[in-house]
């Protein structure tokens, strides 16, 4: 039965906006043709994976700009010219990031100078580009000792190891493109670049073996230890014995792969995208992992009590939560789906994280769906998710890959950018009627980790407590660095706490609804912020 939603049907239940028969149905308007974005990710077999975007503020105006990979064609950089609440508007600009053979990119302020840098993933040499503060960038591989390699790079993650003044960057590589396509078994080694001793820059890379062709990776503090470990979503197709992995990464120690003896459970899927969020409020994150056929949603099998250290043993709750998304939910093509980029964001501001999944056949694979609509799974009060991509207007059946869920026009509603293979990228503006209130936060701390990668942010209202981790990585070759968005339903204020990297939880800040706030670790209060246009 289709949900029918009118403004008169909106109720406020315990401070949260809901329609009379379920969650508020999100609404999006496609603005691709008027936005100025006209990029296409294209190429043959070496570009069957990849196709990502990086969203970040390159000029300090608060609006997130966009770099979109072009595959065999040059990448395209767009400066965000939108106004608050207005139509999404971007202008092409030469930036120095227009590389060919790009699969994706991630923003990261590597040197902590307040100017966003970009890690560019490619078929060939990866490149770190230093931001100049004016939306132009300069190569920094040699100055920073970054080893770009010559692989087929398809995954990235970064974190500051406890006590380090420089980030650790992990790069995931796909199959060895110099080898014959059959038989499989030639995953290029993944690498970890840690800071060099005694100064800025990177030490020589460390290979992470065995390597199983990851399509996403994420540094995440899964056990609330204050240190992040490296999760990988690996594509099982290309290596005998391949499986999902997680590496323990601790400063001064060699990386250690979690094993069955540690409690790590064997899982073998076509791992493609990875995202984390604490969905049940227990303080520990759940992890969405996309795949071909059914997708996974993992939670700790036995959450620890009384401060005990948990084991890395996860169970799959995708089926009871309604997020397997294993076949197209509309149309006549009933073959299994192929899922890529994944992200948790609250698209209707009801205080519950929703789940977006980009879909698209790898390359005319006959056993998998060709018309495979993207998913927008909206979370209900019972913790289960309801498919609403068609009702929301974002159920594109183009061959999707990467993407970004970002408030591009700073109106408190999360918009959607999707990168398609061999067809134009698409962008939708969120215009949801009856959406709840919101807060958007930006963290700042002294030192090189200026954007507080690895921090935990807690937002508390009458709805309960929401917690999310500030990360650099995940998704599918698509990264974002900017305002951290929380929906808060009908609440007028929120109490915000931060667990800064390597520290305990700080004191709460009071943030008013429908506002932007900068949280500085050295300040006793938040700094309000407003768009200038």
């Amino acid at each position: 039965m289709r949900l029918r939603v009118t403004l008169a049907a909106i109720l406020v239940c315990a401070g949260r906006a809901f329609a009379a028969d379920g969650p508020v149905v999100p609404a999006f308007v496609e603005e691709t043709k008027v936005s100025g974005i006209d990029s296409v990710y294209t190429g043959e077999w070496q570009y069957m994976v990849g196709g990502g975007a990086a969203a970040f503020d390159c000029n300090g105006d608060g609006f997130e700009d966009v770099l979109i990979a072009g595959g065999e064609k040059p990448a395209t950089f767009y400066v965000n010219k939108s106004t608050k609440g207005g139509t999404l508007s971007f202008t092409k600009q030469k930036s120095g990031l227009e590389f060919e053979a790009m699969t994706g990119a991630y923003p990261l302020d590597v040197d902590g100078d307040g100017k966003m840098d970009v890690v560019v993933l490619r078929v060939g040499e990866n490149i770190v580009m230093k931001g100049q503060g004016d939306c132009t960038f300069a190569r920094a591989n040699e100055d920073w000792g970054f080893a770009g390699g010559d692989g087929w790079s398809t995954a990235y993650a970064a974190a500051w190891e406890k006590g380090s003044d420089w980030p650790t960057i992990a790069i995931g590589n796909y199959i060895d493109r110099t080898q014959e396509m059959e038989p499989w078994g030639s995953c290029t080694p993944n690498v970890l670049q840690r800071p060099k001793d005694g100064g800025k820059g990177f030490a020589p890379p460390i290979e992470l073996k065995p390597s199983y062709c990851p399509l996403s990776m994420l540094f995440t503090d899964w056990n609330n230890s204050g240190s992040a470990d490296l999760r990988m979503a690996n594509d099982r197709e290309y290596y005998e014995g391949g499986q999902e992995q997680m590496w323990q990464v601790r400063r001064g120690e060699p990386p250690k792969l979690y094993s069955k003896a540690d409690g790590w459970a064997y899982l073998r899927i076509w791992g493609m995208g990875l995202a984390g969020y604490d969905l049940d409020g227990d303080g520990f994150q759940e992890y969405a992992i996309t795949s071909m056929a059914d997708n996974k949603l993992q939670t700790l099998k036995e959450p620890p009590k009384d401060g005990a250290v948990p084991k890395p043993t996860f169970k799959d709750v995708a089926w009871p939560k309604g997020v397997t998304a294993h076949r197209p939910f509309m149309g006549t093509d009933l073959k299994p789906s192929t899922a890529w980029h994944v992200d948790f964001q609250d698209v209707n501001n009801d205080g519950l994280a929703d789940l977006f999944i980009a879909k698209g056949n790898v390359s005319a694979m006959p056993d998998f769906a060709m018309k495979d609509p993207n998913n927008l799974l909206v979370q209900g009060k019972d913790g289960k998710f309801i498919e609403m991509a068609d009702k929301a207007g974002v159920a594109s059946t183009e061959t999707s890959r990467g993407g970004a869920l970002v408030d591009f026009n700073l109106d408190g509603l999360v918009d959607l950018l999707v990168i398609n293979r061999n067809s134009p990228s698409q962008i939708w503006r969120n215009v949801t009627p009856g959406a709840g209130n919101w807060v958007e936060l930006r963290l700042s701390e002294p030192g090189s980790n200026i954007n507080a990668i690895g921090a935990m942010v807690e937002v508390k209202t009458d709805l309960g407590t929401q917690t999310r981790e500030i990360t650099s990585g995940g998704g599918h070759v698509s990264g974002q660095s900017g305002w951290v968005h929380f929906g808060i339903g009908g609440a007028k204020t929120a109490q915000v706490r931060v667990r800064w990297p390597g520290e305990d939880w700080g004191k709460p800040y009071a943030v008013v609804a429908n506002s932007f706030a900068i949280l500085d670790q050295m300040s006793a209060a938040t700094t309000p912020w407003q768009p200038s246009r």
Side-chain angles (χ1 to χ4, degrees), residues 5 88 207 257 283 292 310 331 334 350 353 356 393 437 449 453 465 482 509:
V5 179
L88 304 182
E207 291 188 347
L257 188 63
M292 302 169 80
L334 299 180
D350 63 358
F356 173 78
N437 295 331
N449 185 10
I453 303 299
T465 301
Y509 301 88

Side-chain angles (χ1 to χ4, degrees), residues 411-427:
D411 63 351
L413 293 168
V414 175
D415 308 304
L416 174 63
L417 170 70
V418 176
I419 314 307
N420 300 315
R421 185 179 182 221
N422 295 327
S423 62
S425 301
Q426 294 172 282
I427 192 166

Side-chain angles (χ1 to χ4, degrees), residues 198-223:
K200 294 185 176 181
F202 296 101
I206 301 169
E207 291 188 347
L208 298 174
K209 292 183 178 180
S211 296
Y212 295 140
C213 292
L215 291 172
S216 186
M217 52 175 55
L218 184 67
F219 275 108
T220 179
D221 187 3
W222 63 274
N223 59 359

Side-chain angles (χ1 to χ4, degrees), residues 307-319:
V309 178
K311 292 183 177 181
T313 308
F314 294 85
K315 64 179 180 180
D316 183 29
V317 294
W319 179 258

Side-chain angles (χ1 to χ4, degrees), residues 423-446:
S423 62
S425 301
Q426 294 172 282
I427 192 166
W428 291 265
R429 177 163 60 100
N430 191 335
V431 295
T432 302
N437 295 331
W438 52 273
V439 296
E440 295 196 19
L441 311 172
R442 191 167 71 209
L443 273 59
S444 177
E445 70 169 356

Side-chain angles (χ1 to χ4, degrees), residues 110-410:
V110 176
D111 58 355
D113 66 353
K115 302 172 184 177
M116 192 60 68
D117 312 308
V118 180
V119 180
V120 176
L121 303 183
R122 301 177 68 241
V123 179
E125 183 192 32
N126 300 318
I127 303 172
V128 175
M129 298 293 288
K130 177 175 171 56
Q132 308 297 299
D134 59 354
C135 298
T136 63
F137 301 82
R139 179 183 171 97
N141 283 31
E142 290 74 21
D143 289 345
W144 292 348
F146 180 78
D150 186 26
W152 179 356
S153 296
T154 51
Y156 152 99
W160 270 255
E161 295 182 55
K162 188 178 293 186
S164 295
D165 293 326
W166 200 256
T168 292
I169 295 179
I171 300 292
N173 295 310
Y174 209 50
I175 62 174
D176 185 345
R177 66 192 192 282
T178 67
Q179 302 297 315
E180 292 187 15
M181 294 288 287
E182 297 286 354
W184 301 111
S186 58
C187 292
T188 307
N190 306 315
V191 297
L192 196 70
Q193 284 210 246
R194 288 173 140 166
K196 66 180 182 182
D197 293 333
K200 294 185 176 181
F202 296 101
I206 301 169
E207 291 188 347
L208 298 174
K209 292 183 178 180
S211 296
Y212 295 140
C213 292
L215 291 172
S216 186
M217 52 175 55
L218 184 67
F219 275 108
T220 179
D221 187 3
W222 63 274
N223 59 359
N224 292 337
S225 66
S227 297
D229 292 324
L230 181 62
R231 282 201 68 147
M232 295 182 180
N234 293 320
D235 190 349
R236 75 178 190 182
E237 181 76 12
Y238 306 112
Y239 205 96
E240 184 177 354
Q243 58 177 292
E244 300 300 286
Q245 293 174 305
M246 186 162 68
W247 293 82
Q248 186 181 81
V249 180
R250 299 289 184 269
R251 188 183 183 195
E253 302 177 10
K256 174 193 172 186
L257 188 63
Y258 282 98
S259 67
K260 184 178 179 180
D262 300 311
W264 182 254
Y266 176 86
L267 176 64
R268 188 182 186 214
I269 60 174
W270 292 285
M272 293 179 168
L274 180 62
Y277 205 104
D278 179 11
L279 296 174
D280 56 13
D282 68 351
F284 294 91
Q285 295 183 85
E286 280 67 49
Y287 296 93
I289 314 170
T290 57
S291 179
M292 302 169 80
D294 59 323
N295 300 282
K296 305 297 181 183
L297 181 62
Q298 289 194 330
T299 188
L300 281 175
K301 186 175 182 179
E302 297 180 1
K305 298 179 180 179
D306 301 323
V309 178
K311 292 183 177 181
T313 308
F314 294 85
K315 64 179 180 180
D316 183 29
V317 294
W319 179 258
K321 294 292 186 181
V323 296
T324 55
H326 53 287
R327 296 183 187 276
F329 69 89
M330 66 181 203
T332 59
D333 192 340
L334 299 180
K335 293 180 180 178
S337 283
T338 306
W340 300 88
H341 187 72
V342 61
D343 194 6
F344 289 104
Q345 293 289 345
D346 185 356
V347 297
N348 56 7
N349 288 346
D350 63 358
L352 296 170
D354 309 306
L355 183 64
F356 173 78
I357 303 174
K359 296 284 191 67
N361 195 292
V362 174
S363 186
M365 295 183 71
D367 294 334
F368 293 85
M370 294 301 300
K371 293 294 184 180
D372 202 354
N374 299 330
N375 299 106
L376 184 60
L377 296 152
V378 176
Q379 189 178 179
K381 291 182 289 185
D382 59 359
K384 297 180 180 180
F385 290 77
I386 305 167
E387 180 62 70
M388 292 189 180
D390 53 343
K391 302 173 183 66
V394 296
S396 172
T397 56
E398 299 293 335
T399 305
S400 299
R401 289 296 188 264
L405 281 87
V406 171
D407 182 4
F408 284 116
N409 63 353
L410 300 184

Side-chain angles (χ1 to χ4, degrees), residues 479-493:
Q480 187 264 340
S481 179
W483 297 103
V484 184
H485 175 271
F486 290 88
I488 59 171
K492 302 301 182 183
T493 61

